[in-house]
């Protein structure tokens, strides 16, 4: 009986779990712009907007490119050197 309750609890926790974008790097956040599920958009945008003032010039340029669609899916955003 305990195993069944544990399985049900785990299933419900996965269903109601949200992505934790605070654990992602700014580069990772920039890379997934446009690929975030609609139900996670609010928390994603909140985290991304909190990082904009702290972005380097390189990250801001990559952010603008991603928003404008100038970066293709295959193109990787490289770390600033």
């Amino acid at each position: 009986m305990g195993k069944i309750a544990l399985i049900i609890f785990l299933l419900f926790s996965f269903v109601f779990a949200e992505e934790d974008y605070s654990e992602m790097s700014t580069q990772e956040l920039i890379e997934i712009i446009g690929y975030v599920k609609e139900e996670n958009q609010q928390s994603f945008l909140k985290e991304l907007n909190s990082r904009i003032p702290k972005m380097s010039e390189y990250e801001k340029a990559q952010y603008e490119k991603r928003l404008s669609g100038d970066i293709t899916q295959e193109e990787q955003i490289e770390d600033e050197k």
Side-chain angles (χ1 to χ4, degrees):
M1 185 68 176
K3 289 181 183 180
I4 294 172
L6 179 62
I7 291 171
I8 291 172
F9 172 74
L10 288 175
L11 288 175
F12 278 109
S13 66
F14 287 123
V15 169
F16 294 108
E18 280 192 27
E19 285 284 330
D20 184 12
Y21 296 105
S22 64
E23 297 295 321
M24 298 177 96
S25 71
T26 302
Q27 288 293 168
E28 291 171 322
L29 290 175
I30 292 170
E31 288 178 16
I32 64 171
I33 291 174
Y35 298 102
V36 178
K37 293 179 183 177
E38 191 170 325
E39 61 265 15
N40 296 331
Q41 280 284 355
Q42 187 175 7
S43 61
F44 170 74
L45 290 174
K46 181 179 177 183
E47 183 63 32
L48 185 62
N49 288 332
S50 73
R51 301 220 191 158
I52 291 173
K54 302 171 196 167
M55 285 182 184
S56 68
E57 291 300 318
Y58 176 79
E59 289 171 331
K60 286 181 183 176
Q62 295 303 314
Y63 172 71
E64 293 297 327
K65 281 184 180 180
R66 182 66 72 178
L67 286 180
S68 67
D70 290 343
I71 296 177
T72 63
Q73 183 177 359
E74 293 80 24
E75 186 177 352
Q76 293 289 324
I77 298 175
E78 297 179 15
D79 289 334
E80 187 173 9
K81 296 180 182 177

